[in-house]
Amino acid sequence: MISTFRSTGFSLLLLLGLGAGCQRPPKAGTATAPASTSRSAAFWLTNPDKSALFQLQPAPTWSASPATGAVIEVDESQTFQLIDGFGYCLTGGSAELLHRMDAPKRAALLQELFGTTGNAIGVSYLRLSIGASDLDAQVFSYDDLPAGQTDPTLAKFSLAPDKPHLLPILKEILAINPAIKLLGSPWSPPTWMKTNNNSKGGSLKPEFYDAYARYFVKYVQQMQAEGVRIDAITIQNEPLHPGNNPSLLMLAEQQAEFIKKHLGPTFKAAKLDTKIIVYDHNADRPDYPITILNDPEAKQYVDGSAFHLYAGPIEALSQVHDAHPDKNLYFTEQWVGSKSSFSENLPWHVRTLIIGGTRNWARTVLEWNLAADPQQNPHTPGGCTECRGALTLDGNTVSREDAYYIIAHASKFVRPGSVRIGSTVTGKLANVAFKAPNGDRVLIVQNDNPTAQTFSVRHAGRTFASTLAPGAVGTYVW
């Protein structure tokens, strides 16, 4: 995750005003839809002034009459990437706060987050930290040793730091949604593997490349032994940002070497089907994953590449797709700052990430931390002090924040296995369309105009009209 001292990307987000809290929970039943009929489309709305927060609206009615004004044409003959899911990063701090809730309150909240019926929002993808992220209460790896000691055989590897909070919460989530996909990302290797013997910065010593590859294998295998399947790993969170705590500097050439000579063959020998995803950093450096994928020895082991957007344009994901269309793309992190506003966050995140990310081939869109307390704790010494969670948890008191609603507009309806389909962009009505596994069509629209906009949606010879206020987000399902 970013530190409060991130340079260009952090400054850009401050200018954009990303963040702000939605203190009001959704009204009872507002996220529950009647089955869409041939005569209407279900319509959920969120307004930047919070007058509607993911609330079901009167259903627009289909018509055979010609459309007038701005028209969004949905064309399911055009198909693009499959979707793996939408969600958050279940940081160690998030898990700790959830685990400290009373069991009945936590059970109801987890059902709301990860269930798929009633008012549940259907979160379908989570990112975990391999070892500590900067939103854990303290720094740790799974093989910490006194200064001067090493453990190249990993005899002391243990998931013990995850057993008090993270693993119990994961098991409760898996009981609700056994098919949820989990991505693991390390912020730092054990310090004894690093050039500076410190959790912050430094690089991986070449003599420990093999041990670190086996560290990933042990992580995947021991999580599986706990009943937790890791679908994919990234090799390093933000490999070009060694100023966080914990963190690691890993250049593209080093990551390619690690994959092709160590991690890839070690995964293959262990018969792991866990995906290997490269990069996991900002869209200003598409050359990083392209460099790795241009190496055929490394590429054979790589599923795809992951991005954040604290710097660079979201369209950079398409540059990587165009260079290597046989490899997947994932959007894996974006923070919401505690000093920013809902009225700025809602339109920017939906337009740029939910819509922009998927229109640029992302199979996932993940916001940053699932939960924080009212003071944006816990975090490591030097970790992010202004990272607002999708939930603010104050004991058993739950406040649903910006990222909750941003993700809900996609996660509830664009289920895993959905495929992105064609939709035209007209004026400043940003949009993206999907066909869900159950046959539903899902259209997400964000009005980026300074005034309210009435527009038509056309699909298969029928149209309906709808109106969105400035900055508002609508999800339409039929």
Side-chain angles (χ1 to χ4, degrees):
M1 180 47 208
I2 61 170
S3 75
T4 52
F5 300 102
R6 181 187 298 282
S7 56
T8 57
F10 182 78
S11 301
L12 172 63
L13 290 183
L14 291 179
L15 289 171
L16 288 167
L18 299 181
C22 304
Q23 301 303 318
R24 180 174 55 183
K27 295 177 182 177
T30 55
T32 306
S36 58
T37 70
S38 60
R39 299 185 62 186
S40 64
F43 168 32
W44 281 261
L45 174 68
T46 299
N47 286 325
D49 65 1
K50 304 184 189 178
S51 58
L53 288 170
F54 195 50
Q55 289 176 9
L56 187 62
Q57 304 298 301
T61 301
W62 289 101
S63 169
S65 301
T68 58
V71 178
I72 298 171
E73 182 87 41
V74 176
D75 180 5
E76 61 186 282
S77 71
Q78 298 181 49
T79 58
F80 302 91
Q81 80 276 21
L82 289 171
I83 298 299
D84 283 351
F86 298 86
Y88 306 99
C89 303
L90 180 63
T91 59
S94 298
E96 180 177 348
L97 292 169
L98 287 163
H99 201 223
R100 293 191 189 284
M101 295 178 71
D102 292 344
K105 297 283 189 180
R106 179 176 66 250
L109 180 59
L110 293 178
Q111 183 64 42
E112 177 188 329
L113 290 168
F114 300 100
T116 56
T117 60
N119 72 336
I121 65 170
V123 170
S124 52
Y125 203 104
L126 288 173
R127 182 172 176 235
L128 314 173
S129 60
I130 300 176
S133 76
D134 61 312
L135 293 190
D136 277 88
Q138 60 276 322
V139 174
F140 65 86
S141 78
Y142 299 126
D143 199 336
D144 289 329
L145 301 171
Q149 295 185 20
T150 63
D151 181 24
T153 66
L154 304 179
K156 297 181 180 179
F157 182 99
S158 172
L159 294 179
D162 286 342
K163 291 184 177 180
H165 303 298
L166 180 68
L167 280 165
I169 291 298
L170 275 174
K171 290 174 183 180
E172 291 185 34
I173 292 169
L174 286 164
I176 297 167
N177 179 4
I180 194 167
K181 288 191 174 181
L182 303 174
L183 167 69
S185 301
W187 268 239
S188 173
T191 57
W192 54 267
M193 294 186 184
K194 301 174 71 174
T195 55
N196 65 351
N197 298 300
N198 194 292
S199 61
K200 180 178 177 179
S203 296
L204 182 64
K205 290 181 177 180
E207 60 263 37
F208 290 126
Y209 276 22
D210 181 63
Y212 197 38
R214 288 183 283 106
Y215 182 93
F216 280 95
V217 170
K218 280 186 173 287
Y219 170 74
V220 172
Q221 291 176 335
Q222 292 195 20
M223 289 294 274
Q224 183 65 60
E226 294 285 343
V228 177
R229 183 184 182 278
I230 302 299
D231 181 70
I233 58 95
T234 65
I235 293 161
Q236 174 60 39
N237 171 70
E238 299 188 343
L240 299 179
H241 175 42
N244 201 358
N245 186 26
S247 59
L248 178 83
L249 177 66
M250 180 179 270
L251 303 179
E253 293 77 11
Q254 294 171 321
Q255 195 161 115
E257 180 76 9
F258 178 63
I259 293 166
K260 68 184 181 183
K261 297 289 182 63
H262 304 277
L263 187 63
T266 302
F267 268 35
K268 184 176 180 180
K271 295 181 170 56
L272 298 184
D273 61 357
T274 300
K275 303 177 185 77
I276 296 173
I277 299 172
V278 302
Y279 191 42
D280 208 7
H281 206 173
N282 291 330
D284 61 338
R285 292 294 304 274
D287 61 296
Y288 189 115
I290 289 172
T291 295
I292 297 170
L293 295 173
N294 283 346
D295 183 333
E297 290 183 79
K299 180 179 180 177
Q300 65 179 317
Y301 298 112
V302 174
D303 171 83
S305 52
F307 284 87
H308 308 173
L309 200 66
Y310 305 113
I314 194 68
E315 292 78 14
L317 278 65
S318 283
Q319 294 182 38
V320 181
H321 173 267
D322 292 347
H324 292 276
D326 55 330
K327 295 300 179 181
N328 294 313
L329 288 157
Y330 305 86
F331 190 88
T332 50
E333 182 189 307
Q334 195 72 25
W335 86 318
V336 171
S338 62
K339 297 179 180 178
S340 54
S341 69
F342 185 80
S343 62
E344 292 288 336
N345 286 336
L346 173 74
W348 189 89
H349 280 241
V350 172
R351 180 177 67 252
T352 310
L353 306 180
I354 301 293
I355 295 172
T358 54
R359 287 190 80 99
N360 285 280
W361 298 96
R363 293 172 67 106
T364 62
V365 176
L366 309 182
E367 293 280 323
W368 178 214
N369 53 319
L370 176 58
D373 76 5
Q375 290 76 44
Q376 284 72 58
N377 290 319
H379 57 78
T380 63
C384 182
T385 60
E386 297 180 6
C387 290
R388 184 190 294 132
L391 305 171
T392 296
L393 298 182
D394 188 1
N396 287 327
T397 302
V398 180
S399 298
R400 292 153 185 82
E401 305 284 357
D402 311 34
Y404 175 93
Y405 298 103
I406 289 161
I407 290 297
H409 267 278
S411 60
K412 185 172 180 67
F413 313 106
V414 187
R415 303 303 302 156
S418 297
V419 62
R420 179 168 69 91
I421 58 177
S423 63
T424 56
V425 176
T426 176
K428 291 189 174 182
L429 291 168
N431 67 83
V432 65
F434 306 90
K435 187 172 183 179
N438 67 355
D440 281 348
R441 291 82 173 181
V442 183
L443 176 69
I444 302 170
V445 184
Q446 190 273 322
N447 177 20
D448 195 32
N449 292 277
T451 58
Q453 295 291 304
T454 298
F455 57 94
S456 294
V457 174
R458 183 164 57 209
H459 173 253
R462 300 179 303 158
T463 65
F464 66 78
S466 188
T467 301
L468 291 175
V473 176
T475 295
Y476 305 86
V477 185
W478 67 92

